[in-house]
């Protein structure tokens, strides 16, 4: 062959491979055993910026349906995605929060300064009973983070008694006086938050002992066995997890945490805009996001050493993309917009959690309303659902379903000299036998063809897709439906063979029945 012909062949091959990738997916439906705990789909609401105040909890000036001061449009939206649990009151705020300031008649509650988030005055009008009322409206489990950094063992122990004891006792009587005769039976308790940082600047060794002490005096009352969660590691701090696993007996610790945020630029000083970014910054965002796989795998491997039966959960109780705030907003309020890129971050991360469901049994996206990777943004009486919200809507089918083990070789998404996997997948089988496959094509430009064969007698495949023209498309108060779920027609079933044409930069969930 002449040199020109060879060159022509090379260019043709390159062009073809750049425009098109084909993946063979193996789905092992017969081995679907591990349950994807619904609590992986949890959320987080801190007293920070406009999450609680002017978010969930509003005054008379906001003309929307409310129960007390809780916005019911937000409640309805979160119920639709089957929110399983809500973490509160922080975050860093938790370690300066004294719960007794937030119970009893509202006009007698003391005010405090929220030193972590802008030095604003906290009037304590949203306290323990209000949070539990919110959770009951949402039909979700409360997850309370107790104050370890500046609180006391007695304070936490009394909070548990206030919420969970069904009898005559000083705290139970106080709860009854405050209008709630029945105990609330709160199971999930965080013992401090980021104890290595804003939660007390502790060493792992010191915190392990502190945890044991707090855990000992947080009692299991009848019908309320506590699931105590240790303030866990920051990203790749494996020493933290190792120290906790080595020093805390499994009967005291239901789970240990992990916090990891995706910073688009990787630079905390200039994180990058939520909506103004180029493809290179999209690539670095996704590269940083996918590090969650490494962190979950390595923390799990350490936990396996001490707990081969996987009794202790890895609770990723803070995660999400953290960008610069929207221009003109209070930098301490962490208000950011949410684009298709955020949806792809959410889809890829939730696939990681699903695929590690044997160890990851709780996670909380930061944060539900108006803060960081929010599901919901509000402006006065207006409320919009972000692309991230729609991913949780798509993925709710995985809650409590059985994880289907999968195998595939992902094509690469290349940027300069770097590459990351372009394809992220997880799959599950629900109690009715339906199979759901969630697919994320991270590549900004190239579609991917996926072929698989699934055992069983399938009659139909249907799908829903979240995508948009541009990666930085977002829903604004003027255009609330720019990025929304649409029907997906790119999946074809023939007998047991399934073929999917997955568009670039998209999140798709298929249902096989
Ligand atoms: O989610 C915002 C903050 O990030 C939380 O308060 C803290 O725990 C973390 O550092």
């Amino acid at each position: 062959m002449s040199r020109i012909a060879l060159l022509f062949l090379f260019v043709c091959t390159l062009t073809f491979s750049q425009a098109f990738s084909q993946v063979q997916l193996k789905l092992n439906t017969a081995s679907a055993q591990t349950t994807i705990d619904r609590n992986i789909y949890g959320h987080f609401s801190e007293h920070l910026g406009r999450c609680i105040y002017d978010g969930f909890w509003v005054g008379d000036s906001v003309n929307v349906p409310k129960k007390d001061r809780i916005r019911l449009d937000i409640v309805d939206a979160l119920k639709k995605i089957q929110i399983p649990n809500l973490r509160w009151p922080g975050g860093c705020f938790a370690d300066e929060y004294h719960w007794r300031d937030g119970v009893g008649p509202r006009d007698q509650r003391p005010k405090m300064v929220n030193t972590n988030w802008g030095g604003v005055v906290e009037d304590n009008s949203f306290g323990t009973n209000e949070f539990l009322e919110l959770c009951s409206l949402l039909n979700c489990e409360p997850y309370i983070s107790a104050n370890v950094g500046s609180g006391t063992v007695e304070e936490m122990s009394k909070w548990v008694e206030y919420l969970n004891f069904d009898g005559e006792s000083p705290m139970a009587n106080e709860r009854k006086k405050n209008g709630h005769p029945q105990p609330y039976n709160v199971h999930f308790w965080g013992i401090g938050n980021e104890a290595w940082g804003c939660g007390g600047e502790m060493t792992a060794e010191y915190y392990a002992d502190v945890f044991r002490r707090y855990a000992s005096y947080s009692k299991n009352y009848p019908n309320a066995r506590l699931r105590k969660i240790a303030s866990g590691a920051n990203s790749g701090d494996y020493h933290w997890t190792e120290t906790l696993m080595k020093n805390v007996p499994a009967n005291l610790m239901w789970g240990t945490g992990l916090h990891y945020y995706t910073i688009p630029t990787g630079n905390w000083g200039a994180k990058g805009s939520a909506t103004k970014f180029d493809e290179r910054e999209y690539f670095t965002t996704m590269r940083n996001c996918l590090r969650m796989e490494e962190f979950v795998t390595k923390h799990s491997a350490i936990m396996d050493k001490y707990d081969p039966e996987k009794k202790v959960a890895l609770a990723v109780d803070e995660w999400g993309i953290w960008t610069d705030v929207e221009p003109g907003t209070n930098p301490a309020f962490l208000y950011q917009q949410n684009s298709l890129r955020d949806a792809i971050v959410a889809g890829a991360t939730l696939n990681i959690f699903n695929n590690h469901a044997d160890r990851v049994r709780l996670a909380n996206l930061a944060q539900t309303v108006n803060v960081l990777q929010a599901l919901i943004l509000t402006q006065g009486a207006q409320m919009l659902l972000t692309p991230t919200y729609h991913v949780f809507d798509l993925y709710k089918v995985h809650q409590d379903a059985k994880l289907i083990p999968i195998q595939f070789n992902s094509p690469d998404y290349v940027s300069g000299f770097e590459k990351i996997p372009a394809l992220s997948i997880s799959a599950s089988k629900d109690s009715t036998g339906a199979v759901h496959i969630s697919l994320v094509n991270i590549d900004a430009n190239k579609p991917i063809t996926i072929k698989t064969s699934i055992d069983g007698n399938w009659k139909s495949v249907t799908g829903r897709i979240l995508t948009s023209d541009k990666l930085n498309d977002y829903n604004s108060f003027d255009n609330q439906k720019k990025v929304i779920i649409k029907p997906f027609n790119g999946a074809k079933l023939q007998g047991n063979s399934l073929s999917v044409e997955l568009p670039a930069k998209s999140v798709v969930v298929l249902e096989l029945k």
Side-chain angles (χ1 to χ4, degrees):
M1 214 184 289
S2 74
R3 286 174 114 190
I4 295 187
L6 263 177
L7 188 67
F8 178 72
L9 195 67
F10 175 71
V11 170
C12 286
T13 315
L14 199 69
T15 313
F16 182 72
S17 73
Q18 274 180 350
F20 179 81
S21 302
Q22 184 157 315
V23 171
Q24 201 63 43
L25 169 68
K26 260 175 93 179
L27 286 164
N28 197 349
T29 41
S31 312
Q33 266 158 13
T34 307
T35 299
I36 298 175
D37 195 316
R38 73 171 75 161
N39 287 303
I40 285 178
Y41 291 83
H43 294 280
F44 172 35
S45 287
E46 180 166 8
H47 286 235
L48 190 179
R50 295 172 49 240
C51 184
I52 301 291
Y53 300 105
D54 200 25
F56 279 110
W57 186 248
V58 289
D60 290 340
S61 63
V62 181
N63 190 14
V64 289
K66 302 181 219 41
K67 169 104 193 282
D68 193 352
R69 287 172 56 188
I70 298 172
R71 272 185 87 141
L72 293 178
D73 51 354
I74 295 182
V75 167
D76 288 345
L78 294 175
K79 272 170 85 172
K80 184 167 175 251
I81 57 168
Q82 295 166 10
I83 175 174
N85 72 71
L86 188 62
R87 180 171 182 252
W88 173 85
C92 295
F93 179 79
D95 281 292
E96 63 176 13
Y97 182 64
H98 300 282
W99 69 272
R100 309 264 327 239
D101 294 347
V103 292
R106 278 187 206 142
D107 58 357
Q108 288 167 33
R109 297 182 191 175
K111 295 187 168 53
M112 67 178 277
V113 50
N114 187 336
T115 59
N116 284 289
W117 306 117
V120 296
V121 173
E122 159 70 56
D123 70 5
N124 278 309
S125 59
F126 188 90
T128 299
N129 293 63
E130 290 79 11
F131 172 64
L132 271 297
E133 174 63 16
L134 171 62
C135 290
S136 130
L137 292 171
L138 291 169
N139 195 22
C140 79
E141 290 244 18
Y143 169 10
I144 294 185
S145 268
N147 180 346
V148 168
S150 71
T152 63
V153 174
E154 182 188 8
E155 205 177 341
M156 175 169 179
S157 154
K158 285 186 164 163
W159 205 359
V160 176
E161 180 189 323
Y162 178 88
L163 284 159
N164 289 355
F165 183 56
D166 186 14
E168 278 288 315
S169 83
M171 291 303 109
N173 291 350
E174 197 171 321
R175 183 192 68 240
K176 290 173 200 162
K177 203 171 85 199
N178 291 334
H180 209 274
Q182 299 306 318
Y184 287 101
N185 295 337
V186 175
H187 299 274
F188 288 118
W189 287 85
I191 300 198
N193 168 74
E194 298 193 351
W196 39 263
C198 64
E201 299 285 350
M202 302 177 203
T203 62
E205 289 74 12
Y206 178 75
Y207 174 70
D209 282 349
V210 168
F211 177 92
R212 293 169 65 126
R213 190 158 163 250
Y214 273 75
S216 316
Y217 295 99
S218 309
K219 301 294 182 185
N220 292 320
Y221 293 104
N223 303 320
R225 186 161 192 85
L226 304 191
R227 295 174 158 196
K228 297 166 205 167
I229 301 173
S231 162
N234 178 16
S235 316
D237 182 353
Y238 301 112
H239 173 72
W240 190 275
T241 299
E242 178 108 40
T243 307
L244 285 180
M245 292 303 293
K246 202 189 313 175
N247 295 319
V248 180
N251 67 319
L252 284 186
M253 182 166 72
W254 178 84
T256 181
L258 167 64
H259 287 187
Y260 175 61
Y261 285 98
T262 296
I263 310 298
T265 59
N267 172 3
W268 280 91
K271 302 181 213 48
S273 158
T275 54
K276 294 183 179 63
F277 53 86
D278 57 16
E279 192 184 332
R280 176 65 197 163
E281 198 164 302
Y282 166 69
F283 179 90
T284 57
T285 305
M286 292 315 302
R287 184 197 61 202
N288 297 343
C289 159
L290 293 178
R291 292 202 68 198
M292 185 65 93
E293 173 69 40
E294 170 197 335
F295 296 136
V296 167
T297 304
K298 291 187 177 167
H299 284 289
S300 298
I302 291 167
M303 295 174 79
D304 287 350
K305 249 187 0 187
Y306 297 92
D307 171 34
E309 289 170 32
K310 297 184 191 288
K311 288 187 186 143
V312 180
L314 182 60
V316 190
D317 47 12
E318 283 186 33
W319 69 273
I321 179 171
W322 190 327
T323 69
D324 293 336
V325 297
E326 282 303 291
T329 63
N330 187 332
F333 281 15
L334 311 185
Y335 176 80
Q336 63 191 47
Q337 246 299 351
N338 195 289
S339 70
L340 175 63
R341 177 179 66 173
D342 297 60
I344 293 172
V345 165
T349 307
L350 291 170
N351 280 344
I352 294 172
F353 295 159
N354 285 348
N355 288 326
H356 285 274
D358 59 340
R359 192 58 93 172
V360 179
R361 296 199 279 273
L362 178 134
N364 301 85
L365 176 67
Q367 300 195 359
T368 327
V369 185
N370 292 330
V371 170
L372 299 178
Q373 190 172 352
L375 299 176
I376 291 172
L377 301 177
T378 66
Q379 183 175 277
Q382 285 184 289
M383 176 195 97
L384 68 78
L385 306 175
T386 65
T388 299
Y389 173 92
H390 295 304
V391 173
F392 278 80
D393 194 9
L394 288 172
Y395 277 54
K396 67 186 178 201
V397 288
H398 291 304
Q399 291 190 21
D400 288 340
K402 299 283 183 209
L403 178 72
I404 299 177
I406 51 172
Q407 270 177 305
F408 65 97
N409 285 322
S410 174
D412 294 328
Y413 173 30
V414 180
S415 171
F417 294 109
E418 287 183 280
K419 58 183 186 188
I420 56 175
L423 184 59
S424 147
I425 307 180
S426 69
S428 68
K429 191 174 188 174
D430 73 13
S431 55
T432 70
V435 163
H436 295 101
I437 310 174
S438 43
L439 305 131
V440 184
N441 185 352
I442 294 169
D443 196 306
N445 309 300
K446 283 198 247 170
I448 302 174
T449 301
I450 298 141
K451 297 212 181 275
T452 187
S453 99
I454 315 184
D455 292 342
N457 187 13
W458 306 105
K459 292 194 176 60
S460 67
V461 61
T462 51
R464 303 202 297 158
I465 183 166
L466 190 70
T467 188
S468 195
D469 291 344
K470 295 197 233 89
L471 281 160
N472 57 357
D473 281 346
Y474 59 93
N475 297 333
S476 66
F477 290 100
D478 297 331
N479 187 359
Q480 302 197 10
K481 299 217 166 4
K482 180 90 185 155
V483 191
I484 52 167
I485 298 173
K486 298 201 172 124
F488 176 67
N489 302 316
K492 305 276 174 274
L493 187 66
Q494 269 192 329
N496 287 347
S497 299
L498 177 70
S499 153
V500 188
E501 298 293 330
L502 190 63
K505 52 176 171 20
S506 69
V507 181
V508 166
V509 174
L510 301 177
E511 177 172 80
L512 280 113
K513 280 188 164 169

